[in-house]
Amino acid sequence: MQFSGAAGKMQFGTMATFDNPPQAQPLPRTGPPPSDDLELVEQAKQGSLDAFSKLVNRYDRKIFRLTQHITGHREDAEDALQETFLKAFSHLKQFHGDARFYTWLVRIAVNESLMKLRKRRTTNAVSLDEPIETEDDFLPREIASWDPSPEQRYAQTELREILDRTIHSLPPIFRTVFVLRDLDQLSTEETAEALSLSVPAVKSRLLRARLQLREKLSQYFRRETMS
Amino acid sequence: MSCRKLLSEISNYLDGEIELTVRQELEEHIAKCPNCWVIFDTTRKTVQIYQGCECEPYPIPVSLQTRLQEALRKLCEESQTKQD
């Protein structure tokens, strides 16, 4: 298979040689921070609202990011966030510490967000296990080099808008996996656990999400040619 | 390694979840194939840009925090009343 389009040959010539390998190191992952989640959960199970409030303060921003990215609607995201923590508090006794508390929370948040999304849509076409992947759906159409740090062309607020808008243009199944893996930095296994998906399904959807985002972001980040 | 195979392995490569032989084949391929190099490089940058920008937390509106705390307090009181 040959891709069409013009590649950045100057960049290729200067970067991809055996003497100067293409700097293809795995992206760093920070992993989950050490925490006393389980201790707080135990206290909350005994009725301590203070302990549960500490868990809320620890994770509410990340859950808010997730609900915003899935619903794409501010009001729905706020409601989904609230219902996530209320449901978590009500069902705390069902959490036995087999997974991280945050992974359990994510599972609730995803369900709440998808319910909001379904209500907003006229069809019931929102699911995390739709078999919409095809053999060719990730083949690239846009092959243009980007500058080394193309995001610096934009002010922070404008960049955030571009990134949010682009994420939201993905199907829910792709953007949810992308948010959990690349923004929340959950492991593949944790993401699979949180979404009730298989590990291969998570990997496949992450690949498609990244390639589709790359394709869509090219219009903003492609190298500007001299006229 | 074919271009199609490379595409299917980009994510695994970026995550460091790839067998050594496949990794070597991928690196050899992108060193020779300009188009694949561009796709590889821009995919990597896509993830890096999101991770760089998204480090900023999503602030929770004060009104939402207040609403949530009140709802939790009410729920807590209700569950304690039931236990009593």
Side-chain angles (χ1 to χ4, degrees), chain A residues 12 22-24 27 163 210, chain B residues 11 13-15 31 37 44 50:
Chain A
F12 164 71
Q23 302 173 358
L27 295 166
L163 298 181
R210 286 169 167 176
Chain B
S11 250
Y13 184 89
L14 292 176
D15 294 333
W37 163 251
R44 178 179 52 176
Y50 269 104

Side-chain angles (χ1 to χ4, degrees), chain A residues 3 7 12 22-24 26-27 29 61 65 68 74 136 146-147 160 163-164 181-182 207 210 214, chain B residues 4 7 11 13-15 17 31 35 37 39 42-46 50-51 54 56-58 61 67:
Chain A
F3 303 134
F12 164 71
Q23 302 173 358
L27 295 166
R29 293 211 169 271
R61 292 179 175 202
R65 175 172 66 188
Q68 286 206 70
R74 177 79 182 199
D136 291 337
W146 297 359
D147 290 328
R160 172 64 75 83
L163 298 181
D164 283 353
R181 284 287 285 117
D182 281 339
L207 171 69
R210 286 169 167 176
R214 183 205 76 84
Chain B
R4 184 184 287 269
L7 269 183
S11 250
Y13 184 89
L14 292 176
D15 294 333
E17 297 175 358
N35 284 342
W37 163 251
I39 291 164
T42 49
T43 305
R44 178 179 52 176
K45 282 178 180 152
T46 295
Y50 269 104
Q51 289 181 348
E54 295 280 346
E56 296 288 323
Y58 272 51
R67 185 155 56 101

Side-chain angles (χ1 to χ4, degrees), chain B residues 7-47:
Chain B
L7 269 183
S8 71
E9 294 292 344
I10 282 183
S11 250
N12 291 334
Y13 184 89
L14 292 176
D15 294 333
E17 297 175 358
I18 191 168
E19 289 177 22
L20 180 61
T21 52
V22 181
R23 193 185 82 185
Q24 288 169 340
E25 286 177 23
L26 186 148
E27 288 174 351
E28 284 171 16
H29 183 104
I30 57 175
K32 292 178 198 160
C33 179
N35 284 342
C36 284
W37 163 251
V38 169
I39 291 164
F40 169 82
D41 184 53
T42 49
T43 305
R44 178 179 52 176
K45 282 178 180 152
T46 295
V47 178

Side-chain angles (χ1 to χ4, degrees), chain A residues 6-9 11 143-147 221-224, chain B residues 38 42:
Chain A
K9 290 187 177 178
Q11 185 183 22
I143 305 177
S145 299
W146 297 359
D147 290 328
F221 297 146
R222 65 189 307 164
R223 184 171 291 165
E224 289 168 349
Chain B
V38 169
T42 49

Side-chain angles (χ1 to χ4, degrees), chain A residues 70-87:
Chain A
I70 297 177
T71 64
H73 189 278
R74 177 79 182 199
E75 194 181 321
D76 284 353
E78 291 190 5
D79 288 347
L81 170 94
Q82 170 149 330
E83 282 156 29
T84 297
F85 283 108
L86 290 177
K87 199 162 274 185

